[in-house]
């Protein structure tokens, strides 16, 4: 587990309630299928979100707005930074 700061480069709706967030930062040790815990201002608990894709310093998350935390995420602009705990969970190998 590692605590890292990421910068939002994209945060777009795919449907009315599903969003894709693309982040730039230190992706060393992160594998697709793991999850990250995102610290949100004003929220007591971090939000766990699965890693959709990760390569060369770019981390992609797909999330559904289901409560206050993910609703807050949906409003985050490009350029905002986020505090993430990374390297959580087992992930899986896509090369096979």
């Amino acid at each position: 587990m590692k605590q890292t700061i990421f910068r939002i480069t994209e945060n777009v709706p795919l449907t009315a309630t599903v969003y894709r967030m693309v982040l730039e930062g230190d992706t060393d040790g992160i594998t697709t299928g793991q999850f990250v815990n995102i610290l949100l201002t004003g929220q007591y608990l971090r939000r766990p979100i699965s890693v959709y894709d990760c390569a060369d310093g770019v981390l992609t998350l797909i999330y559904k707005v289901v409560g206050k935390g993910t609703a807050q995420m949906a409003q985050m602009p490009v350029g905002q930074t986020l505090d993430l705990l990374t390297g959580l969970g087992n992930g899986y190998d896509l090369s096979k």
Side-chain angles (χ1 to χ4, degrees):
M1 178 176 67
K2 178 170 58 173
Q3 186 173 3
T4 309
I5 302 297
F6 281 80
R7 186 177 63 82
I8 300 172
T9 60
E10 180 179 293
N11 191 23
V12 296
L14 302 177
T15 70
T17 59
V18 176
Y19 284 73
R20 177 179 59 229
M21 181 180 280
V22 180
L23 305 164
E24 286 183 347
D26 180 7
T27 58
D28 187 43
I30 303 174
T31 303
T32 301
Q34 288 184 314
F35 66 97
V36 297
N37 271 335
I38 303 173
L39 180 63
L40 300 173
T41 303
Q43 303 295 325
Y44 180 69
L45 298 174
R46 289 178 178 262
R47 294 308 186 266
I49 305 291
S50 296
V51 174
Y52 175 76
D53 193 26
C54 180
D56 302 323
V58 178
L59 177 67
T60 304
L61 310 174
I62 304 289
Y63 65 95
K64 183 174 183 178
V65 176
V66 294
K68 292 178 184 178
T70 48
Q72 182 178 345
M73 288 173 58
Q75 301 303 312
M76 292 179 172
V78 168
Q80 181 172 339
T81 58
L82 293 174
D83 180 315
L84 272 63
L85 295 179
T86 63
L88 304 170
N90 294 322
Y92 46 85
D93 182 4
L94 291 177
S95 66
K96 296 178 184 181

